Amino acid sequence: MKIRTLLLATSLISSSAFASTLNLDYVEAGYGTVSFDDSSFDPKGVGVKFSKQVEENFLIKGSYTLTTDSDDHDDYELGQLYAGFGFLTHLEEDKIIEISPYYGKLKTEIEYSYSGGIDKSAYDATIYGLEANYHFACNEALSMLVGVGYERLDFEYVSENNASYQVQLNYNFSEKFTFNFSHRNVKDYKNTGLNIRYNF
């Protein structure tokens, strides 16, 4: 009887520790890259991200990434800003479904150098998106996010509607700090990042 009681207590403690790997309260920063299907530019830079669960079934989140690239004649800069919120459904202690609408801005600046001087051009796009993400813990140290979504990009004279998918692998190397690899693929561009996260 004592052994069963001890096993039950250990199981409850393990479940609590296991569930804590799905912490949605964090700030993170890291290295990011962007690649385009129809461009020779391959910008690299830094990104920051924030998430805060304000109620059991609701969170707010945002991110910003700034990347740059250059060749012999041109300098390229891309800023990506996203803000949104999420509705959470807790399937189990270690499994969460998140449905998130979001709003974003893309700002591209290109500086052209030629024999007569330098020219600059800038392009903006507004983003409206919706994504469904599945968060789950593999064990006490590892958790994942897999998701699919829809994104509309409004440029000055034209709009695009694209499907997207993303995957993220998180490794908790302490209670407060997590290392993750993330990859997000929208039809015409891809974001990849390596990040350090502080859980609060």
Side-chain angles (χ1 to χ4, degrees):
M1 189 67 166
K2 289 182 180 180
I3 293 176
R4 287 183 180 177
T5 303
L6 180 61
L7 288 173
L8 179 59
T10 304
S11 174
L12 291 174
I13 292 170
S14 298
S15 295
S16 176
F18 191 64
S20 70
T21 60
L22 294 183
N23 184 6
L24 299 179
D25 298 334
Y26 61 81
V27 291
E28 71 178 37
Y31 170 79
T33 68
V34 186
S35 59
F36 299 91
D37 293 340
D38 58 352
S39 174
S40 60
F41 288 110
D42 187 22
K44 302 172 178 62
V46 294
V48 293
K49 188 175 182 180
F50 166 83
S51 173
K52 173 62 179 174
Q53 189 172 346
V54 293
E55 293 182 6
E56 181 181 1
N57 298 315
F58 187 79
L59 63 79
I60 57 174
K61 60 183 183 177
S63 66
Y64 179 71
T65 304
L66 179 64
T67 53
T68 60
D69 195 11
S70 61
D71 58 21
D72 293 338
H73 304 287
D74 305 328
D75 294 317
Y76 180 93
E77 181 177 287
L78 174 66
Q80 298 173 272
L81 175 67
Y82 298 92
F85 54 88
F87 300 99
L88 307 176
T89 301
H90 300 262
L91 302 180
E92 298 177 16
E93 290 184 338
D94 58 346
K95 297 179 178 68
I96 299 173
I97 290 178
E98 169 202 344
I99 305 297
S100 294
Y102 60 89
Y103 171 83
K105 296 290 288 186
L106 297 182
K107 185 175 180 63
T108 304
E109 293 184 355
I110 304 176
E111 184 176 283
Y112 307 93
S113 301
Y114 60 97
S115 58
I118 296 175
D119 279 340
K120 293 182 179 180
S121 60
Y123 308 93
D124 293 340
T126 302
I127 302 171
Y128 304 94
L130 179 67
E131 59 187 21
N133 298 317
Y134 178 48
H135 306 257
F136 62 97
C138 304
N139 54 43
E140 289 83 355
L142 294 175
S143 63
M144 288 191 69
L145 175 153
V146 292
V148 295
Y150 159 85
E151 188 171 280
R152 177 183 176 87
L153 280 79
D154 286 341
F155 299 94
E156 188 173 357
Y157 299 110
V158 67
S159 297
E160 291 185 6
N161 298 287
N162 297 316
S164 66
Y165 69 85
Q166 63 178 325
V167 61
Q168 180 172 289
L169 178 63
N170 306 303
Y171 173 67
N172 301 310
F173 58 88
S174 74
E175 181 180 354
K176 291 292 186 181
F177 291 97
T178 299
F179 174 80
N180 71 51
F181 165 81
S182 62
H183 179 76
R184 183 170 182 267
N185 187 314
V186 184
K187 181 182 176 182
D188 295 325
Y189 68 93
K190 303 171 183 65
N191 286 96
T192 302
L194 294 172
N195 308 288
I196 295 293
R197 174 181 294 180
Y198 174 72
N199 306 299
F200 56 88

